[in-house]
Amino acid sequence: MLTNTLKQPEDNPGSVYYFGIKYITMQAYILGIDIGTGSTKAVAVSLTGEVLGTVSNHYPINSPEPGYSEQDPLLIWDAFVKCLAGVTLKLGLPPQAVSLSSAMHSIIPVDKNGEALLPMMTWADSRSENIAQALRATEKGASLYHNCGTAIHAMSPLNKLLWLRGNKIEVFEAAHKFISIKEFIWFRLFGFFEVDYSIASATGLFDIVKKEWNQEALALTGITPAKLSAPVNTTYYRSNINPEVVALTGVYANTPVVAGASDGACANLGSHTTGPDVAALTIGTSGAVRITSPKPVYNYDAMIFNYLLDEQTYVCGGAVNNGGIAVNWLLKNFLQKDNLTAADYDALFNEIASVPAGSNGLIFLPYLYGERAPLWDTKTSGSFFNIKPAHTRSHFLRAGLEGICFALNDVLKTLEDASGGIRQVNISGGFTSSAVWTQTLADITGKRLAVLQSEDSSALGAIYLAARVLHPESYDALTRVEQQEFIEPNAKNHEVYNRMFPVFKKLYSDLKESMHLVNGWE
């Protein structure tokens, strides 16, 4: 237990005192904490850019009714505290600074003490689907998208608020504030309701150009700015951490904590995706393609999102629902694997590697869990097309992986059409460890892929934001890219996929009506 053994070092940032005896430990570090949907992960990086250690803690997602996706914010807070304490204990020295990254689109109604009045609604909560569809078909929906940068979709806190107002009016009226999970944690650290520009820009309630709460959105939801947190820049920081947190974690009370940004915006910074012709692509449970731009990039049909990284920088792109979760579906249903291990993934990718590019014409629409960009259709579904007698299980597995990559390529091309040419795609996420998956992605997109880091890019991006404001003298050294692994597309395979991609796109439009007709059938 660190509580009674650590004292503030007075003469050396690398000093720590155990029962009055001074030891010199490793170099000072910044701690980036990424508050994700399934887990919170902390990454410690020295001021020279060396990754010193990581700690992660997981928590469940609950679905008490169809369309519901809820979490207990106290469990996430507990995971956050454990990550903070775990790194401090692991390294023997509290961080010089902490910076936060967080998943977007969550909403929690809270009382004046910051206590949750309902479970947190995650980004995946779709109970406001009908509300979002109706709003999207109006001129108001187009205006809100243009001003606030967030897709008119059930994931948006804007539509979640409309659902709460229509279905939980007692809670809606009793709530002191409506906040995200990062704000929930921030309040417990400092006792202030504040939200960074990046998380605010993902609510559908925030004017991304004026950088203030949007009056049209507030009028629609029936709330005032007083019901929301005060917006601050992503490099804004506080110290004077709650003494109870200091006691639980061993951090110093005056440690600066930087507000940071959303996980997607941080991932662009953490993966060094800041050039005009470079995109970032991440695959976890879901997936996303993003660019960094000095101005918003709009496409209402495809609902390109525009989230702030800082006061002058936008992260623009699109997210898909079916990333690693679709791969897990393949493993469960084709290889009969439930409790997945590294060996199971190796078996899957080895089998996929035995089939030539294009899976002998077999095409998979990977929309198992509906789809976000660029379709924005919660009623779509997965489908295999052009099944022939020669197709084996291996063909279905490869087509499944190709379908996931086709869907990401659909977002990439939509983004490229709206913003300009993309020369290179910087990739991150667990999928980068699979040579088959990364090569398939390169072959389908026709782009050079760069794997820039093995650690979590969102946590790294949060660390870089902290370094900008707190340690500018170390910023260049901390963010230096020492080596890059490149994956070049295979020209022959790319030709095969170029022939298949238009068919992939056409299949959705051809099958959309039928998908909607059978949606909800058991």
Side-chain angles (χ1 to χ4, degrees):
M1 188 70 176
L2 297 176
T3 309
N4 297 317
T5 59
L6 285 174
K7 285 178 29 179
Q8 177 88 26
E10 298 175 356
D11 55 350
N12 190 312
S15 301
V16 61
Y17 292 77
Y18 288 94
F19 301 104
I21 302 173
K22 187 173 99 173
Y23 293 87
I24 303 299
T25 65
M26 61 181 61
Q27 55 193 307
Y29 65 93
I30 299 174
L31 185 62
I33 303 184
D34 181 39
I35 307 154
T37 304
S39 66
T40 289
K41 183 176 184 180
V43 179
V45 177
S46 74
L47 298 183
T48 57
E50 179 186 359
V51 176
L52 304 178
T54 65
V55 172
S56 62
N57 281 276
H58 296 259
Y59 30 78
I61 302 172
N62 303 313
S63 183
E65 297 183 41
Y68 284 49
S69 178
E70 298 180 340
Q71 289 180 303
D72 182 348
L74 289 176
L75 292 180
I76 301 175
W77 164 251
D78 185 56
F80 175 86
V81 170
K82 287 179 178 177
C83 282
L84 195 54
V87 171
T88 301
L89 180 61
K90 187 174 184 178
L91 299 183
L93 176 71
Q96 289 281 294
V98 178
S99 188
L100 308 182
S101 164
S102 175
M104 294 173 276
H105 312 303
S106 62
I107 190 167
I108 315 164
V110 297
D111 63 20
K112 64 180 181 180
N113 298 315
E115 299 295 336
L117 302 178
L118 285 175
M120 182 183 83
M121 299 167 71
T122 78
W123 69 267
D125 194 286
S126 63
R127 71 187 83 171
S128 63
E129 172 188 344
N130 293 335
I131 295 171
Q133 287 182 342
L135 180 58
R136 183 176 177 179
T138 66
E139 291 184 5
K140 186 182 291 291
S143 173
L144 288 168
Y145 165 74
H146 184 84
N147 290 318
C148 300
T150 302
I152 307 300
H153 185 262
M155 69 180 184
S156 166
L158 166 73
N159 291 294
K160 291 182 171 78
L161 273 175
L162 291 171
W163 186 91
L164 286 170
R165 186 183 182 188
N167 295 271
K168 297 283 185 180
I169 187 63
E170 300 86 356
V171 174
F172 182 86
E173 293 180 344
H176 176 67
K177 299 277 185 183
F178 297 98
I179 64 174
S180 70
I181 186 59
K182 189 197 275 191
E183 295 158 76
F184 183 85
I185 287 171
W186 189 264
F187 184 83
R188 286 179 166 263
L189 287 171
F190 301 111
F192 290 91
F193 288 109
E194 293 166 327
V195 60
D196 65 79
Y197 288 159
S198 189
I199 290 295
S201 67
T203 61
L205 302 161
F206 189 74
D207 190 307
I208 59 174
V209 175
K210 296 179 180 178
K211 300 173 186 66
E212 61 186 33
W213 296 115
N214 179 267
Q215 292 301 317
E216 184 179 23
L218 298 184
L220 178 64
T221 55
I223 63 173
T224 66
K227 289 285 188 178
L228 301 170
S229 295
V232 298
N233 196 17
T234 54
T235 52
Y236 173 85
Y237 65 92
R238 280 190 177 275
S239 54
N240 296 321
I241 298 171
N242 184 329
E244 292 183 6
V245 178
V246 173
L248 287 170
T249 64
V251 298
Y252 304 140
N254 63 352
T255 300
V257 181
V258 179
S262 67
D263 52 2
C266 282
N268 266 40
L269 186 59
S271 61
H272 305 274
T273 307
T274 55
D277 57 355
V278 180
L281 188 152
T282 57
I283 303 177
T285 301
S286 55
V289 184
R290 304 175 302 273
I291 62 168
T292 306
S293 172
K295 60 183 180 180
V297 175
Y298 295 107
N299 182 320
Y300 188 54
D301 289 335
M303 289 281 181
I304 291 174
F305 60 65
N306 293 281
Y307 303 143
L308 285 159
L309 173 59
D310 54 39
E311 289 179 307
Q312 288 83 36
T313 312
Y314 296 85
V315 170
C316 317
V320 301
N321 285 353
N322 301 277
I325 195 170
V327 171
N328 291 346
W329 178 83
L330 292 171
L331 279 163
K332 180 178 179 180
N333 291 283
F334 285 86
L335 299 183
Q336 304 299 307
K337 301 292 184 180
D338 283 315
N339 299 315
L340 301 177
T341 66
D344 295 327
Y345 287 99
D346 289 341
L348 172 69
F349 293 126
N350 287 338
E351 189 163 341
I352 286 171
S354 68
V355 178
S359 304
N360 289 6
L362 184 62
I363 298 176
F364 177 58
L365 298 185
Y367 311 130
L368 299 168
Y369 300 92
E371 190 53 289
R372 285 182 283 172
L375 307 182
W376 298 103
D377 186 352
T378 58
K379 296 180 180 178
T380 191
S381 57
S383 178
F384 283 97
F385 172 75
N386 195 31
I387 303 172
K388 298 291 182 63
H391 289 132
T392 66
R393 181 181 77 171
S394 300
H395 290 89
F396 279 87
L397 292 173
R398 183 172 188 99
L401 189 69
E402 290 171 340
I404 296 167
C405 294
F406 276 137
L408 288 162
N409 190 46
D410 201 4
V411 178
L412 179 64
K413 287 189 172 295
T414 300
L415 190 58
E416 195 169 22
D417 290 344
S419 65
I422 293 173
R423 169 186 55 85
Q424 177 176 300
V425 179
N426 296 346
I427 59 174
S428 62
F431 87 106
T432 58
S433 62
S434 167
V436 171
W437 198 340
T438 53
Q439 187 63 57
T440 300
L441 183 64
D443 295 347
I444 285 177
T445 62
K447 306 294 184 184
R448 182 192 211 192
L449 307 184
V451 185
L452 297 183
Q453 82 292 315
S454 60
E455 295 299 330
D456 187 273
S457 58
S458 294
L460 287 177
I463 289 168
Y464 297 167
L465 282 172
R468 278 184 185 179
V469 65
L470 297 171
H471 295 278
E473 75 287 350
S474 302
Y475 186 78
D476 289 343
L478 195 152
T479 60
R480 182 176 58 248
V481 181
E482 295 186 351
Q483 66 180 60
Q484 300 181 22
E485 175 189 350
F486 294 109
I487 301 162
E488 302 288 349
N490 179 294
K492 184 177 179 181
N493 290 347
H494 182 55
E495 185 178 341
V496 171
Y497 290 130
N498 265 350
R499 186 172 65 247
M500 297 178 71
F501 184 64
V503 180
F504 172 87
K505 285 180 63 68
K506 188 173 184 295
L507 279 173
Y508 167 72
S509 58
D510 288 347
L511 295 174
K512 178 180 178 180
E513 183 177 353
S514 297
M515 288 176 175
H516 287 200
L517 283 173
V518 302
N519 181 256
W521 286 11
E522 298 298 335

